[in-house]
Amino acid sequence: MPEYALLVSPSTNRVYSDAAAGLTLAELAVFGERVLGGALGTPRVERMGSVEYLAFGAEGLGERALAVLSNLSSAFALFALADGRLRPLELRRLDRFDSDLLTIQRYAGKTNETFTKLLLNVTLASSAFAPELLERTFTVLDPLCGRGTTLNQALMYGFDAAGVEIDGKDFDAYAAFIKRWVKDKRLKHRVHVGHVKGHRRIALDIGLDKAGFRQGKALHLAVVNASTLESAEVYPPRSFDVVVADAPYGVKHASAGPRGELSRSPLELLKEAAPVWREALRPGGALGIAWNVRVARREVVAEALAQGGLEPCDSPPYRRFQHRVDQAILRDVVVARRPGA
Ligand SMILES: C[S@@+](CC[C@H](N)C(=O)[O-])C[C@H]1O[C@@H](n2cnc3c(N)ncnc32)[C@H](O)[C@@H]1O
């Protein structure tokens, strides 16, 4: 079986330190299982020279499979491996914009952009629409969107993005950032400012190119300043392919109730929000959520999603995402599907 070696981006090592290889293995395994029809052998860590690679066998990795693997959140370079020699392969990322869309904003509470990409990837791959990963204009909702890291990654992929955020300052900061950014990049765009169900809303149509924009082709971005529990009221039900969120950790970010009152329990928020997020998803859509295991065990979070009418994914690769962020935060990922595609 032909062998391949993936070089993990140095920034990934900085973000996760010891957990980088394990998280990449898990992401690779989910792609292998869900998008590449089991074409990948079991990946392993291999040291060549003084550098670690993730090596894996794969039966005839065609153009399409290579294009899928190019979008792994930690992919820096990919090689065909034969007789101890590395032959570089072209990475074809979906990326539509400059990388500063994701890196310019710096603020306390930002979800790291590499992890955000991993969470989005794993959720996309788990939806019924995974076979169209490279062609479909996915619709992505982050119902706890903060200052928009998930929304920016969705736009980067050329997808439509929508967010809900209860904190007015975060809403304002993201609105200011994205308006400034499209202007600075001289992208054709239209801004719509208004209200939905009494909540502030900003929306942008963003052209990928001038000719397309003139013909009405644009990416659609919207953010509403509301509680996540109102997600299915401020956006049409069954309108999203994936819902992706990094839940409040119960440490620096308290979760907030419908009128902004603070509650220290992210688990209570998840329990209440699960049926609402399910309602926002199309049948066959998937929800991916990251949370702090120190405030709720994995089984408890999975059960809350199941109670909300979602089906948690539980094959072995999905159980390998737990990693340490800092002393107070041990982060994990659960993915669940809305049945019925
Ligand atoms: C871990 S942060 C997500 C950060 C985001 N991914 C980013 O990179 O900017 C969780 C977010 O959930 C928001 N939040 C907490 N409770 C909420 C609620 N009930 N409705 C909507 N947003 C809420 C917080 O204000 C915070 O911005």
Side-chain angles (χ1 to χ4, degrees):
M1 192 191 281
E3 291 273 301
Y4 297 86
L6 179 84
L7 185 58
V8 168
S9 138
S11 65
T12 308
N13 286 316
R14 273 198 299 278
V15 175
Y16 305 124
S17 57
D18 293 348
L23 283 166
T24 308
L25 287 175
E27 188 185 0
L28 194 56
V30 170
F31 268 17
E33 181 179 302
R34 296 281 315 161
V35 192
L36 303 177
L40 302 187
T42 309
R44 61 189 186 277
V45 178
E46 199 166 309
R47 215 175 164 79
M48 287 178 266
S50 50
V51 178
E52 279 187 350
Y53 295 79
L54 296 187
F56 54 94
E59 213 45 81
L61 267 196
E63 291 287 305
R64 190 184 160 71
L66 283 176
V68 168
L69 295 180
S70 299
N71 293 293
L72 281 167
S73 62
S74 54
F76 189 57
L78 184 63
F79 302 89
L81 176 60
D83 305 325
R85 289 176 187 213
L86 296 170
R87 180 169 57 83
L89 299 169
E90 192 81 30
L91 289 185
R92 298 221 189 89
R93 297 196 167 93
L94 282 170
D95 296 8
R96 303 296 172 95
F97 299 111
D98 294 342
S99 62
D100 63 359
L101 172 59
L102 282 142
T103 54
I104 288 181
Q105 288 193 107
R106 293 272 162 231
Y107 49 92
K110 177 175 180 176
T111 310
N112 169 271
E113 53 266 20
T114 304
F115 178 71
T116 300
K117 185 170 178 180
L118 177 143
L119 183 59
L120 177 61
N121 278 348
V122 170
T123 312
L124 292 167
S126 306
S127 75
F129 320 111
E132 305 159 62
L133 186 65
L134 301 172
E135 298 83 20
R136 186 181 178 93
T137 303
F138 279 83
T139 49
V140 178
L141 171 69
D142 183 343
L144 301 163
C145 72
R147 299 188 187 185
T149 314
T150 309
L151 310 183
N152 292 340
Q153 180 56 54
L155 292 175
M156 185 63 138
Y157 273 165
F159 299 162
D160 291 336
V164 178
E165 171 55 51
I166 202 160
D167 186 320
K169 282 198 197 111
D170 283 345
F171 174 88
D172 289 335
Y174 183 59
F177 163 74
I178 197 69
K179 282 191 288 183
R180 174 90 258 151
W181 189 84
V182 291
K183 249 190 207 161
D184 287 350
K185 297 288 167 183
R186 298 174 178 277
L187 294 169
K188 286 277 174 205
H189 65 279
R190 267 183 298 271
V191 179
H192 313 269
V193 177
H195 287 82
V196 53
K197 303 259 160 85
H199 304 289
R200 294 191 297 149
R201 174 181 186 271
I202 180 163
L204 275 80
D205 308 322
I206 305 170
L208 283 164
D209 58 77
K210 285 185 184 140
F213 194 71
R214 272 198 297 274
Q215 291 161 13
K217 282 189 209 142
L219 301 183
H220 302 287
L221 167 71
V223 188
V224 179
N225 182 200
S227 166
T228 197
L229 301 177
E230 286 153 312
S231 301
E233 291 161 38
V234 299
Y235 293 112
R238 298 177 167 234
S239 54
F240 295 100
D241 296 327
V242 292
V243 171
V244 173
D246 184 21
Y249 293 109
V251 186
K252 286 185 202 114
H253 282 263
S255 44
R259 282 162 298 279
E261 70 273 21
L262 290 180
S263 118
R264 294 303 284 177
S265 169
L267 179 61
E268 290 312 310
L269 181 66
L270 287 188
K271 282 184 182 163
E272 272 189 77
V276 178
W277 295 342
R278 175 190 187 275
E279 193 51 24
L281 278 172
R282 296 202 161 91
L287 165 88
I289 182 127
W291 86 101
N292 183 5
V293 177
R294 300 212 195 281
V295 299
R297 280 185 300 117
R298 181 181 181 83
E299 294 67 30
V300 175
V301 170
E303 179 55 24
L305 298 183
Q307 289 291 330
L310 294 156
E311 290 176 351
C313 303
D314 209 24
S315 64
Y318 288 96
R319 295 190 150 260
R320 294 191 198 130
F321 288 104
Q322 185 174 301
H323 62 284
R324 184 182 184 279
V325 175
D326 60 32
Q327 232 178 358
I329 302 171
L330 184 63
R331 190 163 55 187
D332 202 354
V333 168
V334 168
V335 180
R337 284 185 211 115
R338 175 173 182 161

